[in-house]
Amino acid sequence: MDHVVVEPDSSSFSRVARALDDEASGEQWRAELATDLHAALELGVATVRGSLMGMATGGLDDGHEPLRQAVSASVESQVRMSGRGAGARIRARKITLRNFVNAPKRLNSRRGWRHPVHGDTETWVTQIGAPGWFDDPLRRLHARLHSAAARALDNRARRIARRG
């Protein structure tokens, strides 16, 4: 014998199939799961934004959007339901601000960046952001964020099981 067939009774199978159709096929299911996962990651997003806004600053008001606020606004949770990158994550979108390309990554780096001093095009300085503003808080919160996302998925699975 090279395989085993296990078949539930047809009424149980039909009931589970209807429950899955009601839950899994609709946009409402995906939207609710995405909302639950975004809520599970909100602690991480808020912590990363707070870490960035707590960074020391000595900048002058030059009439442009402040760097920290722009980078903070680029931090978001992202949920993908299908494909190779399916899952939930926290990211800082790659933004360009006043010819400052990929500001979130460069603020998080120990390398820094060079720029002219405000109002003086001849004097250049190397500026360092807050290395680890993104990575360090998420590393500390990883276990909590992982368990919160797992709870959101488990709640969805229990809901489907209850309907079956």
Side-chain angles (χ1 to χ4, degrees):
M1 181 178 211
D2 57 354
H3 68 283
V4 175
V5 177
V6 177
E7 295 178 349
D9 63 283
S10 64
S11 65
S12 294
F13 189 78
S14 297
R15 195 169 58 247
V16 169
R18 272 193 312 275
L20 287 174
D21 284 343
D22 291 345
E23 289 289 330
S25 66
E27 288 298 313
Q28 181 180 1
W29 182 86
R30 290 177 184 275
E32 288 175 1
L33 178 58
T35 300
D36 292 347
L37 288 171
H38 283 297
L41 296 179
E42 185 56 37
L43 172 64
V45 171
T47 303
V48 166
R49 285 180 177 163
S51 173
L52 177 63
M53 296 308 288
M55 179 175 85
T57 181
L60 301 171
D61 184 13
D62 60 358
H64 293 99
E65 180 180 16
L67 178 63
R68 292 181 306 151
Q69 284 82 348
V71 173
S72 178
S74 78
V75 176
E76 64 186 8
S77 59
Q78 183 182 39
V79 176
R80 293 191 56 194
M81 299 290 183
S82 61
R84 280 185 30 188
R89 66 183 182 163
I90 296 173
R91 71 179 200 146
R93 285 187 328 274
K94 186 176 187 176
I95 62 170
T96 300
L97 190 66
R98 301 185 306 259
N99 297 323
F100 183 43
V101 180
N102 202 2
K105 182 178 180 180
R106 292 171 74 184
L107 280 171
N108 196 46
S109 165
R110 296 195 188 292
R111 271 190 30 209
W113 65 95
R114 289 187 46 78
H115 65 87
V117 173
H118 178 65
D120 180 4
T121 58
E122 308 241 344
T123 307
W124 284 69
V125 294
T126 299
Q127 185 171 346
I128 305 229
W133 71 266
F134 186 83
D135 300 330
D136 295 345
L138 290 180
R139 198 172 291 118
R140 286 190 303 270
L141 290 173
H142 184 267
R144 287 176 62 185
L145 296 173
H146 185 272
S147 65
R151 270 195 311 278
L153 292 173
D154 288 344
N155 290 343
R156 185 64 41 187
R158 277 196 300 279
R159 180 174 167 184
I160 290 171
R162 278 195 311 265
R163 293 188 84 174

